Amino acid sequence: MTSSQTTTRPKPPRVRETFSARGARFLNRYSMAVALVLVVVVFAFTTKGILLRDQNISNLVVQNGYILILAIGMVMVIIGGHIDLSVGSIAGFAGAAAAILMVQFQVPWWIALILSLVVGGLAGAFQGFWVAYAKVPSFIVTLAGMLIFRGLTIALIGARNIGNLPEPFVFLGAGYVSTGAESGPDLLTLGIGVLIVAGIVGWQVVSRRRTVRHGEKPGNLISFIAGLVVVSAAILWLSYSLASFRGLPVVLIILVVLGVGYTVLMTRTVIGRHIYAVGSNRQTAQLSGVKDRRIDFFLFVNMGVLAALAGVIITARLNLATSGGGTGLELEAIAAAFVGGAAVAGGTGSIAGALVGGLTIGIINNGMSIMGLGTQWQQTVLGVVVLLFVAFDIWNKGRRTRR
């Protein structure tokens, strides 16, 4: 038979994806965003709309900013296969150190800020040495660190409170950026919101084109456009709410810079890929030439610096440093990371997921406070929510593996 007589095999018929399969795939990809929307809808209804008022939205951002900063560092530690129980104590110690430097020793606020970050980095380096080079489990090391730095904070401050901090320092935790207009929404805040939306849309379009150019199949176009529309609408609504109150919180500016920077670090750089590799399979990463000890050391130094920054923001927001500053923050940061999709075994998670997880927890706490529920019930509900989120994530991943 000649080549001209050779018959080509017919292409197999294209299998159309069912609606349920599309729904499952959508849930797999956007489960945290869906959960966040549901939480907002539920508490908007139960609080009779108070949750969504401009002032409450602004307070929600300011009150949870330091938790989200801790969540960024915590999810990186968890992705690397570790845990850090000391972040609340380091935050309290760094905040107390900054206050003492400014009030007692009259150190300029910006020097005190830098020194407090250095203190946090040194605390992280101390713990990172024991984890990375002495091979002591991170749970034990950071449990010891939690006790050590809490004790040092008490020794540093004692039973007193240190207040009356410099105004520029307080501005970091409680300040707002606006044009100062007395009527109508703040145009600066609105403009920044529009720029952020334009940046996100441009980034996503470029990423999609890069995927096509590399010969890979991009996701569904309708889902892609719908996702951009929803995210853009949410950001514009948030911008309008903030602009209608006092403007853009300084904490939010810091958080956006950190979120974007660490997202790029984890998704576009070698060190980010190495963190995921070490957390997924340490032995394979070692055989591939990854310096896992350096990665571990970096993770804890980075976590120490972010914990110190969170402590500075807490102290600035309260205009007060106490020996109990930062107590319990480690649990909220860990909860935010796990609610945001991080895996207990490591190797899985994202900066965006941790931020969404922290925001979800913050909204739940805020909603219950508005409803007048006592602290005991808030703690109970939060514990149940964390358990259900992690259980759902395990079930969802198991279902995908079986398929």
Side-chain angles (χ1 to χ4, degrees):
M1 181 179 293
T2 64
S3 59
S4 61
Q5 295 174 321
T6 302
T7 57
T8 59
R9 293 182 180 181
K11 294 182 179 180
R14 184 179 178 182
V15 180
R16 295 181 61 88
E17 190 176 30
T18 64
F19 179 78
S20 60
R22 289 182 181 179
R25 184 160 54 83
F26 178 84
L27 187 62
N28 289 337
R29 186 172 182 181
Y30 301 108
S31 58
M32 275 311 308
V34 172
L36 177 60
V37 171
L38 289 177
V39 167
V40 170
V41 170
V42 168
F43 281 104
F45 177 76
T46 55
T47 61
K48 299 179 180 179
I50 297 177
L51 179 76
L52 300 180
R53 289 181 181 175
D54 299 336
Q55 181 176 354
N56 191 65
I57 293 295
S58 182
N59 291 338
L60 190 63
V61 172
V62 174
Q63 291 170 2
N64 291 278
Y66 51 87
I67 296 295
L68 299 180
I69 291 173
L70 289 174
I72 290 174
M74 186 62 71
V75 76
M76 293 174 64
V77 170
I78 293 173
I79 290 171
H82 298 291
I83 198 72
D84 193 340
L85 302 176
S86 67
V87 296
S89 297
I90 293 177
F93 182 62
I100 289 177
L101 286 172
M102 290 182 291
V103 175
Q104 290 189 1
F105 296 96
Q106 301 299 312
V107 175
W109 70 270
W110 58 273
I111 295 180
L113 170 62
I114 294 173
L115 291 177
S116 65
L117 297 182
V118 171
V119 167
L122 291 175
F126 169 76
Q127 297 186 130
F129 167 79
W130 289 101
V131 173
Y133 297 102
K135 295 299 180 182
V136 180
S138 59
F139 180 89
I140 301 300
V141 172
T142 58
L143 177 61
M146 178 177 68
L147 299 174
I148 291 170
F149 294 111
R150 180 58 60 194
L152 290 175
T153 305
I154 296 173
L156 199 61
I157 290 187
R160 57 181 174 156
N161 297 329
I162 301 178
N164 296 321
L165 305 178
E167 192 171 317
F169 181 82
V170 175
F171 183 75
L172 293 175
Y176 292 82
V177 176
S178 67
T179 58
E182 297 182 359
S183 61
D186 179 61
L187 296 181
L188 177 62
T189 303
L190 292 176
I192 292 175
V194 171
L195 289 177
I196 291 175
V197 168
I200 291 175
V201 171
W203 185 16
Q204 291 297 318
V205 170
V206 170
S207 298
R208 184 179 177 87
R209 288 180 177 177
R210 186 184 298 114
T211 300
V212 174
R213 190 165 56 248
H214 290 168
E216 301 175 8
K217 184 179 179 181
N220 183 271
L221 180 61
I222 296 178
S223 298
F224 174 76
I225 295 175
L228 285 181
V229 170
V230 171
V231 171
S232 300
I235 293 175
L236 292 176
W237 170 75
L238 175 63
S239 301
Y240 184 80
S241 295
L242 296 175
S244 299
F245 182 54
R246 295 178 61 184
L248 196 63
V250 175
V251 173
L252 182 58
I253 298 174
I254 296 173
L255 190 60
V256 169
V257 172
L258 291 176
V260 172
Y262 278 100
T263 297
V264 172
L265 175 71
M266 293 297 290
T267 59
R268 303 292 183 184
T269 67
V270 173
I271 191 171
R273 290 191 289 271
H274 285 182
I275 292 172
Y276 278 104
V278 168
S280 298
N281 192 315
R282 184 173 293 269
Q283 287 73 28
T284 301
Q286 290 172 341
L287 293 174
S288 301
V290 176
K291 306 296 183 182
D292 61 308
R293 292 185 177 184
R294 294 182 182 178
I295 293 297
D296 292 338
F297 187 76
F298 165 77
L299 287 173
F300 283 94
V301 172
N302 177 72
M303 184 72 259
V305 173
L306 289 179
L309 177 60
V312 165
I313 290 176
I314 296 170
T315 304
R317 175 175 170 265
L318 299 176
N319 194 15
L320 189 70
T322 68
S323 59
T327 301
L329 294 186
E330 59 278 345
L331 300 181
E332 295 193 48
I334 293 171
F338 284 133
V339 169
V344 177
T348 303
S350 66
I351 302 299
L355 293 176
V356 173
L359 191 58
T360 301
I361 292 175
I363 291 173
I364 292 173
N365 285 331
N366 182 259
M368 290 189 293
S369 296
I370 295 173
M371 293 171 60
L373 294 180
T375 304
Q376 69 276 19
W377 294 114
Q378 293 183 31
Q379 296 292 328
T380 302
V381 172
L382 185 59
V384 171
V385 167
V386 172
L387 181 61
L388 291 178
F389 267 98
V390 175
F392 171 77
D393 184 61
I394 293 174
W395 170 81
N396 198 29
K397 291 174 181 176
R399 181 177 60 83
R400 282 184 288 178
T401 301
R402 288 191 298 270
R403 292 178 60 184

